[in-house]
Amino acid sequence: MTTTVPDVLHPTERRRWVSAPGAQLAVFEYGPEPGPGVPEVLAVHGYPDDHTVFAGLISELAEDHHIIAYDTRSAGQSAAASARLDAFRLPVLVEDLYAVLAATAAGPVQLVGHDWGSIQGWAAVRDRRAGAAISRYISISGPDLHHFRRWFTERLRSPRGWFDVLQQSLRSAYVAFFQLPVLPELLFYAAGARLYERTQGRPAGRNLQRGLALYRANFAAPGDTAPREPTAVPVEVVLPLRDPFLSPALNQGVEEFAPHVRFTAVDAGHWWPASHAGDLAARIRAVSRN
């Protein structure tokens, strides 16, 4: 059975294009217009999704929150002018995020990032602009890449950490597969989109193939190696305990660069923002009321 996602996720939807260096980003806004007393949320999706992964969250919050979502470059309706890997480096993706904020938000937003959206979110809250633009960050199933690399390096130095490294390496094996030329694209053309739709209940379109650039640009040849400052932004890390891709042990040491962090374990899989949108909305509302 084919699952369809409505062209309009909510009656309040407004669409616009935001220009970023080398990309045209499809941006979607929901709920009341931004202004005094209106809490704002920016939701950034991961791989192989687009903004529609947040359909449930938008439905939950659109009555009284200004919600901003966008298709990251080359996902969904957004486009990148170049297929070169340097167009998908993490610093470029962070510039996209801040370009969207500059075009849409009236004040500091609660930032929600899932998967690659969470990876981008970590880099964004460790950026010097975060203090004025982001009031709180909810990270779901996506590590800070600086921490990810350092975590592996430090645990390889001691036999006590080898089990953690082995466990996470097995979970991350797909990243090595994605570095191969042509083969991942062929697999996704043949069966990947149908499998994703059958398991997640929403189409992936060509996001599977397009999104491979994220892994090839930022893992095989990292483009963001400069150290980042710790963030003063309050952070909640949501840990889906049934996430097959990320071990909870990977969060050891996050406090060193996010001193205002708390961890919330949830009995769910990787796509918790879609499967438990009401729970995510409740966390956002709890902060909006304060």
Side-chain angles (χ1 to χ4, degrees):
M1 182 177 70
T2 301
T3 303
T4 58
V5 174
D7 289 337
V8 176
L9 298 184
H10 190 270
T12 61
E13 181 174 290
R14 289 95 68 192
R15 306 185 184 194
R16 70 168 82 189
W17 292 96
V18 170
S19 296
Q24 287 291 310
L25 305 174
V27 180
F28 307 82
E29 296 175 76
Y30 304 89
E33 295 289 343
V38 177
E40 297 191 88
V41 177
L42 173 62
V44 187
H45 69 84
Y47 174 85
D49 295 303
D50 51 36
H51 79 284
T52 61
V53 73
F54 293 113
L57 179 67
I58 291 163
S59 178
E60 292 276 350
L61 291 179
E63 180 180 353
D64 53 4
H65 284 63
H66 175 222
I67 307 160
I68 309 156
Y70 67 102
D71 293 340
T72 59
R73 57 175 57 204
S74 276
Q77 299 177 42
S78 292
S82 171
R84 290 170 53 92
L85 292 184
D86 56 9
F88 296 87
R89 305 275 194 211
L90 189 55
V92 177
L93 303 178
V94 172
E95 292 305 314
D96 290 351
L97 188 153
Y98 277 105
V100 170
L101 279 179
T104 58
V109 302
Q110 289 193 62
L111 174 62
V112 177
H114 174 245
D115 189 86
W116 264 97
S118 179
I119 292 173
Q120 294 170 59
W122 275 117
V125 297
R126 298 182 71 179
D127 185 280
R128 56 180 173 76
R129 294 165 286 187
I134 300 169
S135 61
R136 179 176 179 244
Y137 176 41
I138 301 179
S139 164
I140 309 151
S141 295
D144 177 279
L145 283 193
H146 283 274
H147 172 68
F148 185 82
R149 298 184 187 106
R150 189 178 68 173
W151 183 90
F152 269 95
T153 301
E154 290 180 350
R155 273 151 188 77
L156 282 172
R157 291 174 180 157
S158 169
R160 290 182 297 178
W162 291 353
F163 177 77
D164 286 343
V165 169
L166 175 61
Q167 186 183 53
Q168 184 56 53
S169 296
L170 292 173
R171 292 173 183 248
S172 300
Y174 68 95
V175 176
F177 173 69
F178 286 174
Q179 307 305 317
L180 299 175
V182 181
L183 186 58
E185 283 89 342
L186 291 176
L187 177 64
F188 292 150
Y189 275 120
R194 290 193 299 274
L195 177 61
Y196 182 84
E197 182 171 345
R198 188 161 60 247
T199 58
Q200 301 305 318
R202 58 185 173 274
R206 295 194 61 222
N207 293 339
L208 283 157
Q209 294 92 323
R210 291 172 169 179
L212 291 170
L214 296 170
Y215 294 89
R216 292 167 177 170
N218 294 288
F219 281 97
D224 183 27
T225 57
R228 292 182 179 273
E229 293 298 317
T231 181
V233 174
V235 178
E236 180 178 8
V237 177
V238 177
L239 304 172
L241 296 178
R242 290 186 277 115
D243 190 331
F245 308 117
L246 295 168
S247 167
L250 190 59
N251 291 281
Q252 297 165 357
V254 167
E255 299 91 341
E256 296 176 18
F257 58 89
H260 306 291
V261 66
R262 68 186 181 97
F263 301 95
T264 303
V266 294
D267 184 19
H270 181 75
W271 277 275
W272 178 80
S275 63
H276 293 72
D279 294 341
L280 175 55
R283 282 171 166 76
I284 293 170
R285 281 192 183 282
V287 173
S288 299
R289 295 191 188 102
N290 294 334

